[in-house]
Amino acid sequence: MVEVHVGFMRRALELARRGEGYTRPNPLVGAVVVKGGTVVAEGYHARYGGPHAEAVALERAGDAARGADLYVNLEPCVDFPGKKTPSCADRIIAAGIKRVIIAARDPNPRVNGKGVEKLRAAGIEVIEGVLEEEARELNEIFFWWTRTGRPFVSLKLAMSLDGRIATRSGESRWITGPTARRRAHELRRRHAAVLVGVNTVLADDPELTVREVPGPNPMRVVLDSRGKTPPTARVLEEDGGVLIATTDAMPPEAEEALRGRGAEVRRFPAREGRVDPEAVLRWLGERGIDSVLVEGGGEVAWSFLSRGLVNLVYFFYGPVVIGGRGAVPAFGGEGFSALGKAPRFKIRRVERLGDDLLVVAHPAAPV
């Protein structure tokens, strides 16, 4: 029976992923209606403000939902002030579902446990914790955002086997191959904002958009303490919004030129002569940005890592050794003076992406 539950829940998780990039700040949720061991209907939360996964699946199931099982990767919601959609728990009860199998409870205190309690009070059997770890990982941005109100920060770097992100001449395209680049675009789709330093803009002129996979463009954030971003930069050309995070060192004429290209320019406190990344994260969080993908370069990566601001790292390794004293290391800054001070990580998984490797890890100590 446990194996049966796992199989149907895994399908719910697969469905949930289809909403990636479209539901934020809502979670990714999939639902499967099963009767007599057969799937009779499926659904997922496709977009923010749209019907929830349970509602879609039950609508498709119709009368077949009566006496059936419902698999859903997150606890069904209940009504609370300001909620945009009807209660899924009430919909489940009205449909005559016999049993609900969930992966994880909703961390929102207005829902947490209340959906389960309502279902059980109505005589519906509830089984919890099926593939809970996988479900929490899928919605780790939502769990973090709900708990802290701060953006979840992922750090993504593409590097050589010896930890270099560019040659001494600045060449970095392409250290990794097409499969790895597609995965990087999936990460952009997953996050509400993508952040780089101005040196990356000057060296690579990136668009920072989602192109290899379908999905909406994230907000683009450029840390530019002195106003070096060219008004012709490609990062300014696409939709999704651009924030140039700067300091009082930016000349007024540079600010005017960037605003003329449609960018939002905001001055933040300086820290060691550069934009304070913590101040930028606070500002983004206040505006509902639940997640940030930091893509470099080395100095920006160091500024986030050394301040303990990183929740998760995605390190892409291409099968090449660059070497040389002038090559650009993955992390700039001064480095840690002792191993005891350096942050340690727990490896979540290692993937083979064509000829490349991806290492996904999170801090061993909580952020």
Side-chain angles (χ1 to χ4, degrees):
M1 181 58 70
V2 172
E3 291 180 359
V4 171
H5 288 330
V6 167
F8 289 128
M9 186 61 74
R10 199 170 299 285
R11 177 57 180 168
L13 290 167
E14 290 173 358
L15 291 166
R17 290 188 182 92
R18 295 183 181 181
E20 195 168 71
Y22 297 98
T23 67
R24 68 172 68 98
N26 283 355
L28 300 169
V29 184
V32 181
V33 180
V34 178
K35 196 169 189 176
T38 301
V39 174
V40 297
E42 299 178 333
Y44 67 97
H45 185 36
R47 60 179 177 82
Y48 176 72
H52 286 188
E54 301 95 317
V56 174
L58 292 173
E59 178 70 24
R60 291 173 176 171
D63 292 340
R66 192 160 299 279
D69 293 338
L70 175 68
Y71 291 81
V72 60
N73 60 292
L74 196 68
E75 177 182 12
C77 63
V78 295
D79 284 327
F80 54 81
K83 190 171 180 297
K84 293 181 177 294
T85 53
S87 161
C88 287
D90 288 336
R91 184 70 180 267
I92 292 167
I93 294 168
I97 288 289
K98 178 185 68 175
R99 182 169 61 175
V100 177
I101 300 91
I102 69 172
R105 290 197 176 191
D106 192 320
N108 186 336
R110 295 178 292 183
V111 177
N112 187 269
K114 297 179 177 63
V116 170
E117 292 171 6
K118 190 163 194 173
L119 294 173
R120 285 176 173 158
I124 296 174
E125 180 186 356
V126 179
I127 297 174
E128 301 183 61
V130 178
L131 295 184
E132 181 175 4
E133 184 176 346
E134 290 90 335
R136 292 180 68 88
E137 179 181 330
L138 175 68
N139 276 310
E140 60 190 337
I141 290 173
F142 173 73
F143 275 73
W144 172 265
W145 172 253
T146 301
R147 181 167 63 87
T148 68
R150 291 157 47 201
F152 184 97
V153 177
S154 301
L155 173 61
K156 172 255 172 183
L157 292 171
M159 66 188 88
S160 63
L161 291 176
D162 56 338
R164 308 304 176 104
I165 60 175
T167 67
R168 64 188 180 199
S169 65
E171 183 182 356
S172 61
R173 294 184 177 183
W174 297 97
I175 290 176
T176 54
T179 306
R181 292 198 293 274
R182 178 182 173 86
R183 179 62 61 85
H185 282 260
E186 291 175 354
L187 292 178
R188 288 180 183 175
R189 177 180 64 189
R190 180 172 173 79
H191 292 76
V194 175
L195 183 149
V196 299
V198 69
N199 288 338
T200 296
V201 172
L202 295 173
D204 299 336
D205 196 18
E207 295 175 62
L208 303 181
T209 54
V210 176
R211 300 186 301 282
E212 299 288 336
V213 296
N217 286 330
M219 170 189 265
R220 278 94 67 208
V221 181
V222 179
L223 303 187
D224 182 3
S225 302
R226 300 184 179 278
K228 295 181 179 179
T229 302
T232 56
R234 293 196 298 171
V235 73
L236 303 170
E237 294 176 357
E238 301 293 335
D239 63 356
V242 179
L243 169 68
I244 306 297
T246 188
T247 68
D248 288 337
M250 174 183 275
E253 58 272 19
E255 178 176 352
E256 182 179 352
L258 291 170
R259 289 188 185 277
R261 289 298 314 278
E264 180 171 4
V265 180
R266 184 168 181 84
R267 296 175 188 266
F268 290 91
R271 191 167 180 175
E272 298 176 357
R274 303 186 180 192
V275 177
D276 182 355
E278 293 181 72
V280 174
L281 288 179
R282 284 195 299 271
W283 187 88
L284 291 172
E286 290 168 359
R287 279 143 189 86
I289 300 297
D290 66 357
S291 52
V292 177
L293 178 65
V294 178
E295 290 203 15
E299 295 296 333
V300 170
W302 169 256
S303 70
F304 276 83
L305 185 70
S306 63
R307 291 175 172 87
L309 301 176
V310 175
N311 297 88
L312 196 65
V313 298
Y314 295 89
F315 289 165
F316 294 82
Y317 289 92
V320 60
V321 172
I322 294 176
R325 294 188 184 89
V328 183
F331 290 92
E334 297 179 357
F336 294 98
S337 60
L339 282 176
K341 296 180 180 180
R344 291 192 175 270
F345 288 79
K346 290 185 177 180
I347 304 297
R348 175 179 290 178
R349 63 180 177 272
V350 178
E351 298 179 46
R352 181 77 177 262
L353 301 174
D355 293 330
D356 305 317
L357 290 179
L358 167 62
V359 176
V360 183
H362 59 84
V367 175

